[in-house]
Amino acid sequence: MKKISTILICAAAMANGLAANSTFTVDASHPAGKVSPMLYGLMTEEINHSYDGGLYAELIQNRAFLDNPTKPVHWSVVNGENSAATIALDSANVFNDKLTTSLRLTVTKADGKNSAGLANDGYWGIPVQPKTTYRAAMLARTDIDFSGPVTVSIVSDDGKKVYATEKFSGLTTAWKKFEVTLKTGKVAPTTKAHFVITLDQPGTIWLGMVSLFPPTWNDQPNGFRKDLMQMLVDLNPKFLRFPGGNYLEGDTVETRFDWKKTLGPIEERHGHPCPWGYRSTDGLGLLEFLKWCEDMKAEPLLAVYAGYNLKGAHINPGADLEPFVQEALEEIEYVIGDTNTKWGGQRAKDGHPAPFDLHYVEIGNEDWFDKSLSYDARFTQIHDAIKAKYPQLKTISSVGNEQPAKLRVHSRKPDMIDEHYYRSVNDFIHTSPDYATKYDRNGPEIFVGEWAAYETPFVPWDKRSQKEPPTPNLKAAIGDSVFMAAMERNSDLIKMQCYAPLLVNVNPGGRQWRPDMIGYDAISAYGSPSYYAFQMFSRNVGDEILATASAETAVQGCATRDAKTGEIFLKLVNPATNSVSLKIEITGVTALASKGSAITLAGNLGDSNSLTQPGKIIPVTKTLRGVKSGFTYELPPNSIVVLKLKSRS
Ligand code: AHR
């Protein structure tokens, strides 16, 4: 395999991009390798309220009253001068053994004009949109003295506006599920609202679970936020790595992602503490992950629990690990098994008879943290079991080449290894991993399963980064793009890559990590410059790698070609604070159309997007003229540029 490299000639002047002979050469005479068709994907886990308070469209926070064992957090009493109520957790009156508490509402004083009840403040507000239908569902029962009705409403925080309201009755002493539709009128969008349940007469009711959904992506019940899904689809991802990340491992074995507990109706899901400091409802469970892939036309990249937990404990390989090996096999059976298998049949019962398109299974996550050095044996045991039953699947080791040899897998050759790179912008610009010279092309394929450039002085997990904006600025996107160009140049080896983390709820207290690619609150979302840089890369890529070389410039880049159409995608990153007149030389093409297009993301290094300025820095597409085998292109300062050139070889 020919080595694919960009030659960087270092000179002080060039660091500023000032050299007069800045040149970027593309050799189109023959492909230097194949671009992996799976190169660009997404990584996800429950972090930063990615699902609860994020993509998973549930609007009620603490819907099953399990978030705090001593008080009904996010719920409060609603009453007035002439009405009175109390609320309390009640573990003696529960809907089932999964919902291990209920909420008792006791209204002691109320009438038709003076109602009393309780309210939920949502995930930093309930989003109110005009002319929108919301679906509310409640598990409820009463005592013999109360006959209803119950009123449910979406109300402004100042109590002055009722955006939507509906009543239901029919409560009995037995638990029942009630479903109500709430429709808003012509109202101004806001998040300054809450969800209210009131009675207009004294009485006691118990609530087992309260749920409220806005319209979802493809109208799926228990589904996803439409705006966020659209943004994810727009990234053109080929795979989704889930469920983690640390979320897979959990702090302890009991709090790992226990996939069986995430199946079935939501009232059958107890939820669990996630390692990022809050409780997950498990409303977005294994089947929802898989449907999410399907909705994006992306493949699942399933990570299975491999016996290591974040607090440092591990399960010994051998007999102790065996139940977890079986659990992993059963999980795979749920994903791809025939409907006449136990878990394939369960998938069909859960509403999805067709198997999913699974090819990659990652064994654990970041197992280099296991200082007992047990990963080699744990990997081997799980790998062998998977290969015996599903020889077609590719296994991925969670310990990459960037880790010391003693932590890596040696007993087997993993099909792939997962490397993680959270690096400063400067690190990426000056020392991106040297895939061209240091990696064995005959070794395992590489999956860069987590990476991001950070532009602040703080590593992503440093608490001090909490004071920084949740999403990165253009400077970080430039670091990202230099690294993405290196991965694309070497995508004969790097088969898949995904930025992490993907999602962040930007409300105070919403995040545990920065930088994150997409920010949102309850009603709006925006892409960071890193989001748009990734989109420019993932949507403009051919299937052949073309060798590139640069001289007398700080500009870095890569080139690919679509073998069918001949279109060349030239990606250029100018990290300098001044523009660069770049001589672009394309050899090995017989014809180049003089007209192409240029997509540019450029601005001040500190420029960023936010909820209030979602489009401050976004890619701009323009027609490119004067293309020929040698032409000069003016790269703006701090820019990421994709040139699309029509060619014949
Ligand atoms: O992406 C955030 C965290 O970084 C992941 O959960 C973990 O795998 C890594 O350390």
Side-chain angles (χ1 to χ4, degrees), residues 5-25:
S5 64
T6 291
I7 302 156
L8 296 173
I9 299 177
C10 297
M14 281 179 322
N16 292 323
L18 293 176
N21 290 316
S22 300
T23 309
F24 197 89
T25 311

Side-chain angles (χ1 to χ4, degrees), residues 43 45-48 241 244-249 275-276 310 365-366 368-369 420 422 449-451 460-461 499-502 513 516:
M43 189 273 168
E45 66 173 318
E46 183 57 285
I47 183 173
N48 303 323
R241 174 180 179 232
N246 293 356
Y247 186 57
L248 167 74
E249 306 161 86
W276 295 106
L310 288 166
N365 176 61
E366 295 191 340
W368 66 78
F369 282 108
H420 293 179
Y422 294 107
E450 291 181 29
W451 67 268
W461 49 93
Y499 184 103
L502 182 61
W513 187 283
D516 306 291

Side-chain angles (χ1 to χ4, degrees), residues 109 127 148 159 177 250 253 269 281 351 364 366 407 421 540 565 601 609:
K109 190 176 171 197
K177 188 172 191 170
V253 64
R269 305 184 197 184
T281 62
E366 295 191 340
L407 300 172
Y421 294 97
N540 298 290
T565 64
L601 187 69
N609 295 327

Side-chain angles (χ1 to χ4, degrees), residues 246-262 270-275 279 282 305 307-311 313 315 324 327:
N246 293 356
Y247 186 57
L248 167 74
E249 306 161 86
D251 279 340
T252 59
V253 64
E254 293 76 24
T255 56
R256 72 192 185 282
F257 181 77
D258 197 348
W259 62 273
K260 288 180 192 168
K261 295 184 179 163
T262 72
H270 179 69
H272 74 286
C274 99
R279 210 167 173 284
D282 285 341
Y305 174 73
Y308 179 71
N309 304 107
L310 288 166
K311 287 202 167 152
I315 315 255
F324 299 96
E327 195 175 277

Side-chain angles (χ1 to χ4, degrees), residues 30 50 117 122 138 147 181 186 233 247 259 355 381-382 405 449 475 491 502 531 551-552 564 572 599 637 645:
H30 60 274
S50 290
M138 264 142 294
S147 56
T181 298
K186 221 173 137 191
V233 168
Y247 186 57
W259 62 273
Q381 194 173 341
I382 299 171
K475 184 176 176 189
S491 78
L502 182 61
Y531 169 85
E552 297 193 39
K564 273 204 201 102
L572 300 165
I599 311 168
L645 315 173

Side-chain angles (χ1 to χ4, degrees), residues 477-497:
I478 285 177
D480 292 339
S481 301
V482 167
F483 185 46
M484 283 195 283
M487 291 192 277
E488 198 173 290
R489 285 197 301 273
N490 292 281
S491 78
D492 59 309
L493 172 70
I494 295 153
K495 297 293 177 180
M496 299 195 247
Q497 63 102 327

